[in-house]
Amino acid sequence: MIINLLRGAAAFCLALTPLALPTPAAAAATALVTVPEVLPLEDAVGKLPVAEEDRTGYTRDSFKHWNTGLDAADGCDTRDEVLLAEAVQEPAVAAGCKLSGGKWDSYYDGVEVSEADNLGIDHMVPLAEAWESGAGTWGAERREAYANDQGAAASLVAVTARTIRSKADQDPATWMPPLPDTHCRYIGEWTATKLRWGLTVDPAESEALKVYAEACETTVVHYNPAP
């Protein structure tokens, strides 16, 4: 589907060496493609600035979501588009983007889900955590872009609602997915999201990330800075 292609293209980019001067149209298209930063997890964690956090003034309503998503004409909001993109078995889509059938793998807990209503869309870095890590200084438009970010596959994740409730607004110093085999992936995606959006980490969070990075020697972080 178009949504899958768009999210996939945002997550992975190919660097091509032209053999001839590009046409103006090709040059314009190339300008839209950015090559992701690729770093070992330990190096990526080391790039995160450390700062104390401040949640003063935060409300969930400060981040407008869900908006009309990548395709305003498809009748699906960001939540629905993420569900469609992450389905391992594509659901049927009825009027109003009502989803039925389909299957999803909730990677936090290893649960296979066959009803879209049993899933939530998790902000990899929760909205409250983003606010106190730098988003509190952003304007409303950038906070909306963050809350609906489909430009990186890791930013929004379809997982069981119960794991989202368990996680709430915690960072890796106090919460990790219940499935231990996912921890390296989770730390990599958390780090990538913070780097993508220029967010800070607090001292306890920084230390936790460093500990996990030492244990996840083969984990590689891919990220593009947000527009």
Side-chain angles (χ1 to χ4, degrees):
M1 294 183 65
I2 291 176
I3 298 304
N4 301 61
L5 293 174
L6 288 170
R7 296 184 89 230
F12 300 99
C13 300
L14 294 177
L16 302 179
T17 302
L19 298 177
L21 290 175
T23 65
T30 302
L32 298 176
V33 177
T34 56
V35 178
E37 293 280 345
V38 182
L39 296 169
L41 176 58
E42 187 171 10
D43 292 347
V45 168
K47 291 189 68 172
L48 293 168
V50 179
E52 295 294 340
E53 296 178 342
D54 183 4
R55 197 172 293 193
T56 303
Y58 167 74
T59 66
R60 191 169 176 82
D61 291 341
S62 299
F63 295 81
K64 180 182 177 182
H65 67 290
W66 305 110
N67 64 19
T68 56
L70 294 176
D71 183 356
D74 67 0
C76 300
D77 62 15
T78 299
R79 180 185 188 279
D80 293 327
E81 289 182 356
V82 173
L83 288 172
L84 288 167
E86 296 194 3
V88 295
Q89 179 179 311
E90 191 172 340
V93 184
C97 205
K98 178 66 176 177
L99 307 183
S100 60
K103 287 184 180 178
W104 293 263
D105 289 331
S106 169
Y107 99 76
Y108 287 2
D109 49 5
V111 173
E112 184 180 272
V113 180
S114 56
E115 292 289 340
D117 289 345
N118 292 334
L119 289 159
I121 305 301
D122 187 38
H123 290 93
M124 173 56 60
V125 175
L127 301 180
E129 169 71 20
W131 177 276
E132 62 191 15
S133 301
T137 65
W138 298 348
E141 185 175 346
R142 187 163 181 82
R143 287 198 293 268
E144 179 179 353
Y146 177 85
N148 297 274
D149 182 20
Q150 293 187 71
S155 295
L156 301 171
V157 189
V159 290
T160 54
R162 67 189 179 198
T163 57
I164 295 177
R165 289 194 296 269
S166 172
K167 174 181 174 179
D169 57 9
Q170 299 177 83
D171 68 35
T174 55
W175 188 91
M176 288 292 287
L179 192 63
D181 288 349
T182 69
H183 287 182
C184 289
R185 173 182 173 181
Y186 183 80
I187 291 295
E189 294 184 348
W190 179 279
T191 301
T193 303
K194 286 229 161 175
L195 287 172
R196 172 170 168 77
W197 288 92
L199 299 173
T200 64
V201 292
D202 66 34
E205 178 186 354
S206 176
E207 289 306 308
L209 293 176
K210 289 176 182 176
V211 169
Y212 281 108
E214 289 180 1
C216 301
E217 295 179 337
T218 61
T219 300
V220 176
V221 172
H222 299 74
Y223 74 96
N224 277 321

